[in-house]
Amino acid sequence: MSLNQLTIAELATRLASREISSREIMQSCLDQIARVDGKIHAFISYDAADALAQAETADRAIAAGAVHANRPLLGIPIAIKDVMAVQNQPLNCGSRVLGNFKSPYDATVIEKLKAAGAIVFGRCNMDEFAMGSSTENSAFGVTHNPWDTSRIPGGSSGGSAAAVAADETIASLGTDTGGSIRQPAALCGVVGLKPTYGRVSRYGLVAFASSLDQVGPFAKNVSDAAALLGVLSGHDPKDSTSVPHPVPNYANALDGNIRGLKLGLPKEYLVGGLDPEVKSAVDTAVKTFEKLGAQIVGISLPHTDYAVAVYYIIATAEASANLARFDGVRYGARVEGKDFWDLYSRTRGAGFGGEVKRRVILGTYVLSSGYHDAYYLRAQKVRTLIRRDFLNAFETVDAIVTPTSPTPAFKIGEKSGDPLQMYLSDIFTISCNLAGICGISVPCGFTQKPKLPIGLQLLGKPFGEETLLRLAHAYEQETSWHTHKPKLES
Ligand code: GLN
């Protein structure tokens, strides 16, 4: 296998023994990008010279005695969704509205990656302002699924997921507001983890829905995801919603022992519209967990039916407020007008795409006087009930298992004309964000024809990432789905 196909753990061992250099790893990723990204379009842009310079810095640090025990990502390329601030790099959020804006500072997660020695490179394509499930809503074009380029990679972090699946990077960061890490991870056949709300700092992440957004990793296996989560996690005085819980050593949870853990199977998740091949792969995965010693318990999450509706009220309400700042006055693209109202409306009219406009209008509506109580306030109350469903379930089970997405990757264009169909593709992932809990998606099989990845979702208690990683890792050790690679033609 070439270097770009290896995991963080494998590369760290070879770097430490000086068998390879970080420059060679980075070059191998850049070669793969040159070979396949014309078809995949996982990246909006990348700065090869800067990436190689960072790799050389890592090589010098290794030569001077720096070790992975202290800097776990030393010399490892990590690609970034275009919604996180990286100093002196473009920041567009998949939108035209930011023009040629460059970020003057690093997001906390970026600072942490850099401190851990990572090569932070590339701007991964995404649905505009993370609104979407297919990466078709980007001002920079569509990203294609590496397993079948006529299909979507999932979204909104489709570029980050596709880049890992196509071995264009070793790992990447995405964000998850309603499923945007887990769903594309499932559809691209990689591991994706959404941390508990408050586990990872949001400082320097451009906000979509502030009470739902979390940054998390995409990786080739569970242990790499654990390593990244360890780097990203922790309290940040710059984000008052980040929580001062100590960060565990997540690698310690990867001992393969899940005997006696209780896994909840919610009856509400066997919905119509669930693809039979997805259902059968998840059923088989559940049997594997049983075989490994976990106990399967039927549970109920009675307010599940309301999740999509509640999400599209709360997320759009928050988005309409958060996106007010893109007005062409202080930064980003500007379309001049006869007065400042005219300037605002021209700038926003030209700068935002259709889905973003739909959500700003919807969000403004649910917050408007007269409707605020009927929609926004009511949705907040139901959100509390949804969270309570999970907390009740977690009194009897250690984690919950579901499909990540009701279907495998669909065709480009198949749902883009029907927002409701698109919104329903997040039916299994959205509740996790509303409840503020953590979730992971791991590969659990493939459809027959065409061969498309299927993802298994595990949901955990608030700050229960160790249990999720323990379960996901034990499952991964027992199966080989994560080792399959798409056949990529250059
Ligand atoms: N697909 C969902 C949406 O369109 C979730 C997106 C996300 O998690 N950023 O809002």
Side-chain angles (χ1 to χ4, degrees):
M1 284 212 276
S2 49
L3 297 181
N4 59 308
Q5 296 181 301
L6 301 181
T7 62
I8 297 175
E10 289 163 339
L11 292 168
T13 311
R14 295 210 202 171
L15 281 169
S17 66
R18 316 279 166 92
E19 195 186 316
I20 57 168
S21 68
S22 171
R23 194 180 205 287
E24 288 166 325
I25 303 172
M26 191 63 241
Q27 190 58 55
S28 149
C29 292
L30 292 170
D31 291 347
Q32 179 72 346
I33 294 173
R35 198 167 77 83
V36 304
D37 209 53
K39 286 216 169 124
I40 309 289
H41 193 45
F43 288 90
I44 294 175
S45 65
Y46 58 94
D47 182 341
D50 176 67
L52 290 169
Q54 291 184 58
E56 282 163 11
T57 306
D59 284 329
R60 281 194 295 275
I62 293 169
V67 291
H68 287 86
N70 300 331
R71 301 182 75 195
L73 302 175
L74 190 55
I76 307 290
I78 312 283
I80 310 296
K81 183 177 183 179
D82 185 32
V83 71
M84 288 165 239
V86 178
Q87 192 171 33
N88 298 327
Q89 295 291 323
L91 174 59
N92 289 101
C93 307
S95 182
R96 265 187 298 273
V97 82
L98 273 141
N100 50 17
F101 181 77
K102 284 199 172 162
S103 174
Y105 69 96
D106 278 335
T108 297
V109 287
I110 301 300
E111 263 178 13
K112 282 175 177 276
L113 287 183
K114 288 182 177 174
I119 305 169
V120 171
F121 87 103
R123 307 299 301 167
C124 291
N125 199 18
M126 57 182 281
D127 285 301
E128 186 175 8
F129 287 104
M131 297 175 187
S133 312
S134 65
T135 317
E136 291 169 292
N137 302 333
S138 166
F140 299 90
V142 177
T143 296
H144 299 254
N145 191 310
W147 291 88
D148 176 349
T149 52
S150 70
R151 290 171 192 270
I152 57 98
S156 63
S157 315
S160 301
V164 174
D167 291 313
E168 295 170 273
T169 181
I170 306 306
S172 65
L173 295 193
T175 59
D176 192 313
T177 305
S180 280
I181 292 175
R182 291 158 289 151
Q183 185 255 17
L187 303 194
C188 288
V190 299
V191 175
L193 188 151
K194 184 205 93 78
T196 304
Y197 188 77
R199 178 75 289 184
V200 174
S201 169
R202 293 181 299 108
Y203 179 77
L205 160 66
V206 179
F208 161 12
S210 313
S211 77
L212 301 160
D213 299 338
Q214 273 290 289
V215 175
F218 286 95
K220 294 177 188 181
N221 65 17
V222 173
S223 97
D224 279 7
L228 278 161
L229 181 65
V231 169
L232 299 174
S233 293
H235 180 245
D236 177 10
K238 295 186 191 128
D239 172 7
S240 59
T241 64
S242 75
V243 172
H245 285 359
V247 179
N249 182 349
Y250 292 109
N252 290 344
L254 311 182
D255 62 6
N257 182 10
I258 62 164
R259 201 151 285 283
L261 284 181
K262 290 202 180 82
L263 262 184
L265 207 53
K267 67 170 198 270
E268 289 79 8
Y269 282 54
L270 286 172
V271 290
L274 180 58
D275 180 277
E277 286 183 281
V278 172
K279 178 173 185 315
S280 126
V282 172
D283 287 346
T284 309
V286 168
K287 291 205 186 84
T288 305
F289 279 112
E290 258 185 316
K291 191 179 122 201
L292 291 168
Q295 195 184 328
I296 311 299
V297 184
I299 57 162
S300 174
L301 300 166
H303 296 91
T304 299
D305 266 1
Y306 303 103
V308 173
V310 166
Y311 171 85
Y312 277 96
I313 293 171
I314 294 175
T316 57
E318 293 184 17
S320 71
N322 278 327
L323 269 56
R325 71 193 61 160
F326 302 103
D327 54 12
V329 175
R330 284 154 294 182
Y331 46 75
R334 174 186 297 181
V335 182
E336 298 293 346
K338 59 182 185 309
D339 52 32
F340 67 81
W341 288 115
D342 196 36
L343 180 147
Y344 287 174
S345 79
R346 282 172 191 262
T347 297
R348 291 166 68 80
F352 290 144
E355 183 61 26
V356 171
K357 285 178 188 162
R358 178 176 7 251
R359 297 203 189 191
V360 169
I361 292 169
L362 203 60
T364 310
Y365 178 77
V366 300
L367 287 176
S368 59
S369 68
Y371 296 103
H372 179 273
D373 290 6
Y375 291 108
Y376 183 69
L377 217 58
R378 181 80 61 94
Q380 292 290 17
K381 289 179 180 167
V382 183
R383 178 180 187 174
T384 302
L385 297 176
I386 291 170
R387 176 167 165 91
R388 223 174 265 166
D389 282 355
F390 279 98
L391 298 183
N392 285 340
F394 287 132
E395 296 204 344
T396 45
V397 298
D398 298 290
I400 293 170
V401 59
T402 78
T404 307
S405 161
T407 66
F410 44 90
K411 290 267 187 190
I412 291 170
E414 190 178 324
K415 298 190 183 181
S416 45
D418 186 346
L420 192 60
Q421 279 311 309
M422 190 70 90
Y423 296 172
L424 286 172
S425 49
D426 301 312
I427 190 153
F428 298 138
T429 49
I430 273 178
S431 311
C432 165
N433 304 72
L434 291 169
I437 60 175
C438 54
I440 190 169
S441 179
V442 290
C444 75
F446 291 90
T447 58
Q448 294 273 324
K449 263 194 191 142
K451 181 179 177 180
L452 298 171
I454 301 172
L456 178 82
Q457 176 175 240
L458 294 163
L459 300 173
K461 296 177 189 179
F463 302 96
E465 283 85 355
E466 281 175 288
T467 306
L468 286 192
L469 291 164
R470 175 183 296 280
L471 284 159
H473 174 74
Y475 174 76
E476 191 181 75
Q477 295 298 103
E478 191 63 23
T479 55
S480 61
W481 307 117
H482 65 289
T483 61
H484 292 228
K485 299 270 183 201
K487 284 194 188 66
L488 287 163
E489 289 139 35
S490 34

